[in-house]
Amino acid sequence: MTEWTKKKYNEYYTAYVPWLEDKYLAWFGENKTSYVAKDQLRQTKITGDKNVDAVQDGVAEGVGGQRPAGRLAQQAAGAGE
């Protein structure tokens, strides 16, 4: 590949992949923040008990749903930091 081709590929990748990720997650009512929060909470199983695991999964769903949806809302939430 030429350097120009690599440069253009990287430009398009950085421009469109975040948008595609946002759209894909939006189809499922998620955004990046809520998806990552849910995923991290799901990976931290304290016990092997299915009842406790079910409670943890419920907490993960609740925590994940607390984030505002949409890129503008995420940027607005980060503006106060």
Side-chain angles (χ1 to χ4, degrees), residues 2 6 47 61 64 67:
T2 66
K6 290 179 185 177
T47 68
E61 286 294 320
R67 296 291 183 191

Side-chain angles (χ1 to χ4, degrees), residues 6 9 17 22 42 46 53 63-64 74:
K6 290 179 185 177
Y9 173 82
V17 168
D22 288 343
R42 284 186 189 127
I46 296 172
D53 290 345
V63 168
Q74 288 176 348

